[in-house]
Amino acid sequence: MYRVKKRIEISAAHKLILDYDSKCNDLHGHNWIIYVYLQSEELDSNGMVYDFTQIKDEIISSLDHKCLNDVLDCNPTAENIAKWICDKIGEKCYKVTVQESEGNIAEYEK
Ligand SMILES: [Zn+2]
């Protein structure tokens, strides 16, 4: 099994819809640090699991400098963002971590 990990940093805004009072209910931004984990039994014809630049381009074009409430069709928590990214990258992606601030990290694993 081959595995690769890609780190991507984006700036994006969100506001959360919570059933309790929180400052997170107001629109605010983070510099998100995302790790995308991919694996494959076989390498492609270029000798790669997945092109690092392609991963970055897919995430940046979808999420960077966006309001995540407009992109995701669910509450854009770090947990939901991690799953959304994993689904978007597709079959080879088996785990995504999303750090919204120092010490606050969500992980989604298939
Ligand atoms: Zn936030």
Side-chain angles (χ1 to χ4, degrees):
M1 182 68 77
Y2 297 95
R3 292 198 171 95
V4 296
K5 177 168 95 172
K6 174 69 180 169
R7 180 189 190 278
I8 303 155
E9 189 164 348
I10 63 163
S11 298
H14 72 166
K15 63 178 180 179
L16 299 181
I17 296 118
L18 303 171
D19 59 8
Y20 54 90
D21 285 335
S22 168
K23 63 182 181 180
C24 298
N25 295 342
D26 296 325
L27 185 66
H28 62 282
H30 297 286
N31 292 319
W32 307 82
I33 298 170
I34 298 160
Y35 282 95
V36 180
Y37 297 76
L38 303 105
Q39 65 183 7
S40 181
E41 294 277 0
E42 305 289 337
L43 298 180
D44 65 16
S45 59
N46 298 307
M48 298 175 178
V49 172
Y50 207 101
D51 188 301
F52 288 121
T53 304
Q54 192 181 341
I55 302 167
K56 183 180 179 184
D57 289 348
E58 288 186 31
I59 302 303
I60 295 284
S61 65
S62 305
L63 303 179
D64 191 41
H65 286 72
K66 299 278 171 47
C67 178
L68 300 178
N69 295 73
D70 298 335
V71 179
L72 277 70
D73 57 2
C74 57
N75 203 21
T77 60
E79 294 88 333
N80 278 331
I81 295 163
K83 181 175 189 310
W84 187 90
I85 291 169
C86 197
D87 291 345
K88 178 171 181 59
I89 299 295
E91 187 181 322
K92 288 182 177 175
C93 184
Y94 67 96
K95 184 166 83 172
V96 174
T97 64
V98 172
Q99 176 180 309
E100 72 172 22
S101 57
E102 189 67 38
N104 295 341
I105 302 166
E107 179 177 298
Y108 173 75
E109 186 167 0
K110 279 183 190 165

